[in-house]
């Protein structure tokens, strides 16, 4: 009997790259996205189900879980998310709430909705996609940093609570070359207007230019990241953490080795904050 995995956030990036890899490995895939029309180009087959799933909408989450009740669901990949950027001083409360609604609360309610289905299958696992920014923080990404720190904490607590029944794998990628990085400005809203005439106006312009440049130079291809996730998905003994990318590995090591004042000085200089 074919094992099945449900993946959130399949419209682009890591989620989209993971779908064909899982199918090629013999898994059935429930591919989900907030806008299901973004999934119409996925090749049909008996090993694919496509479902609408808005992780911030409890009714949508419950409907997706009900639609999977007949499947031998052995894995859940909580991948859906976005990055709210900008200086904390200019951040509105509603923007911080929206970031946590998707990246943290949405992930939590999807996990709880599908946990009863996963418990039915021996060797089931949940892969919670965090980020290297769940272990360290950078300027101008405070909401995203905070949300991914929360994902790390939730994953570690969940593993302690249910890990003997369902494995919990924390996935911590570094920079990924996806549309996520190309559409950062969509999360800004009117932030550039709020920044106009402040010290942040030039800083934000520099931030976008540097992120685009580094995205091409240093970021990992989404396919490569998805292949690393697939290894954890199919492993007989799933790992507790999967750190993906040289930047995720070495930046974390560097932060641990350097005095805090040095580390902060490096980041301030890199982001034009001094």
């Amino acid at each position: 009997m074919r094992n099945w995995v449900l993946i959130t956030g399949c419209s682009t990036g890591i989620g989209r790259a993971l779908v064909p890899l899982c199918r090629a490995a013999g898994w059935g895939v429930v591919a989900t996205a907030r806008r299901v029309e973004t999934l119409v180009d996925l090749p049909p087959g008996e090993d694919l189900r496509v479902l609408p799933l808005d992780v911030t909408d409890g009714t949508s989450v419950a409907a997706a879980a009900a639609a999977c009740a007949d499947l031998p669901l052995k894995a859940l990949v909580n991948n859906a998310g976005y990055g709210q950027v900008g200086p904390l001083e200019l951040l509105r409360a509603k923007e911080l709430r929206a970031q946590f609604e998707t990246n943290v609360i949405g992930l939590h309610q999807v996990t709880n909705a599908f946990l009863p289905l996963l418990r039915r299958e021996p060797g089931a696992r949940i892969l919670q996609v965090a980020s290297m920014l769940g272990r360290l923080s950078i300027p101008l990404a405070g909401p995203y940093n905070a949300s991914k720190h929360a994902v790390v904490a939730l994953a570690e607590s969940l593993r302690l609570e249910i890990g003997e029944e369902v494995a919990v794998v924390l996935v911590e990628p570094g920079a990924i070359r996806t549309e996520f990085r190309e559409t950062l400005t969509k999360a800004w809203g009117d932030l550039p207007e709020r920044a106009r005439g402040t010290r942040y106006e030039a800083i934000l312009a520099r931030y976008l230019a540097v992120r685009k440049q580094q995205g091409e130079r240093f970021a990992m291809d989404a396919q490569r990241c998805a292949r690393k996730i697939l290894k954890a998905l199919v492993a007989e003994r799933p790992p507790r953490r999967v750190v993906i990318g040289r930047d995720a590995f070495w930046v974390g090591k560097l932060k641990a080795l350097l005095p805090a004042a040095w580390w902060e000085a490096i980041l301030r200089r890199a982001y034009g904050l001094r």
Side-chain angles (χ1 to χ4, degrees):
M1 181 181 294
R2 179 185 291 122
N3 292 322
W4 285 76
V5 55
L6 183 136
I7 307 169
T8 66
C10 292
S11 58
T12 61
I14 297 170
R16 172 55 67 98
L18 194 53
V19 172
L21 291 177
C22 289
R23 297 176 75 183
W27 285 66
V29 177
V30 183
T32 73
R34 184 172 58 86
R35 294 185 296 112
V36 73
E37 62 270 19
T38 62
L39 307 178
V40 295
D41 59 332
L42 291 174
E46 294 182 355
D47 62 345
L48 178 70
R49 288 192 185 180
V50 173
L51 292 176
L53 175 55
D54 180 347
V55 302
T56 68
D57 184 338
T59 300
S60 175
V61 173
C68 296
D70 63 319
L71 294 177
L73 193 69
K74 194 163 183 174
L76 166 66
V77 180
N78 270 314
N79 166 71
Y82 76 98
Q84 175 67 52
V85 299
L88 289 171
E89 187 176 358
L90 300 182
L91 185 74
R92 295 190 177 115
K94 67 179 182 180
E95 293 167 333
L96 184 59
R97 289 192 189 100
Q99 179 76 110
F100 271 71
E101 283 290 341
T102 296
N103 291 10
V104 181
I105 298 170
L107 173 144
H108 174 68
Q109 72 174 349
V110 170
T111 298
N112 281 356
F114 286 92
L115 189 53
L117 303 184
L118 294 166
R119 277 196 167 108
R120 302 184 310 194
E121 301 300 318
R125 59 208 56 187
I126 299 169
L127 280 68
Q128 308 287 48
V129 180
S131 166
M132 72 173 183
L133 297 182
R135 291 186 288 129
L136 57 93
S137 295
I138 60 173
L140 308 181
Y144 185 71
N145 295 334
S147 72
K148 291 305 184 178
H149 275 70
V151 170
V152 170
L154 289 177
E156 291 179 342
S157 293
L158 186 66
R159 185 188 300 119
L160 291 170
E161 294 167 0
I162 70 162
E164 293 186 352
E165 304 171 81
V166 178
V168 179
V169 180
L170 182 60
V171 180
E172 298 175 301
I176 306 295
R177 193 180 303 117
T178 71
E179 290 185 25
F180 178 95
R181 299 182 65 80
E182 296 301 321
T183 58
L184 280 175
T185 52
K186 290 184 179 180
W188 287 8
D190 64 348
L191 182 60
E193 295 176 18
R194 281 176 264 163
R196 191 168 294 124
T198 73
R199 66 187 289 258
Y200 296 114
E201 184 173 6
I203 289 169
L204 287 175
R206 172 185 168 86
Y207 174 83
L208 183 59
V210 170
R211 293 283 70 74
K212 285 184 176 180
Q213 178 185 14
Q214 291 184 351
E216 290 301 318
R217 186 176 177 186
F218 299 114
M220 182 193 308
D221 182 81
Q223 287 282 342
R224 182 181 170 199
C225 182
R227 286 194 293 271
K228 297 284 188 180
I229 294 174
L230 179 64
K231 286 184 178 181
L233 181 68
V234 302
E236 185 176 346
R237 297 180 63 181
R240 286 174 170 79
R241 303 176 91 102
V242 180
V243 178
I244 305 175
R246 293 180 180 177
D247 55 344
F249 180 80
W250 288 111
V251 172
K253 292 287 185 183
L254 185 63
K255 181 179 185 292
L257 289 172
L258 289 178
W262 292 15
W263 173 253
E264 291 174 4
I266 289 170
L267 286 180
R268 288 194 185 101
R269 186 179 185 88
Y271 286 82
L273 291 167
R274 56 176 300 174

